[in-house]
Amino acid sequence: MLEKDCVVQFNEKHKWCGCIGIIGEIKNGRIMVYVPIPEQGTACIFAKESELEYIGPATLVPSNEE
């Protein structure tokens, strides 16, 4: 089951095939995945669940809690 802060990889159904990212949000069947881009920041990519492969839970995710 895909949920926030899981590590995923885009499969061959998505144009970002092979890229790895972390799920940031899930709304109305659309999943926003944060993909780090070396020396450029982070891309926010939208995908469907069928376009992603679950890898595992992320262990180091910054939180907004103080």
Side-chain angles (χ1 to χ4, degrees), residues 2-65:
L2 298 177
E3 56 188 37
K4 189 176 188 300
D5 298 333
C6 287
V7 178
V8 293
Q9 182 175 21
F10 293 95
N11 64 26
E12 65 278 350
K13 295 178 184 176
H14 197 278
K15 73 177 189 175
W16 282 67
C17 178
C19 292
I20 292 176
I22 297 174
I23 295 177
E25 260 184 64
I26 301 175
K27 285 187 180 178
N28 301 326
R30 291 183 53 143
I31 301 168
M32 184 170 61
V33 181
Y34 297 119
V35 180
I37 309 291
E39 299 180 14
Q40 294 184 15
T42 304
C44 297
I45 309 300
F46 286 96
K48 300 175 191 167
E49 187 170 351
S50 63
E51 299 172 326
L52 300 171
E53 299 295 328
Y54 175 77
I55 294 179
T59 56
L60 297 173
V61 178
S63 81
N64 293 332
E65 297 176 14

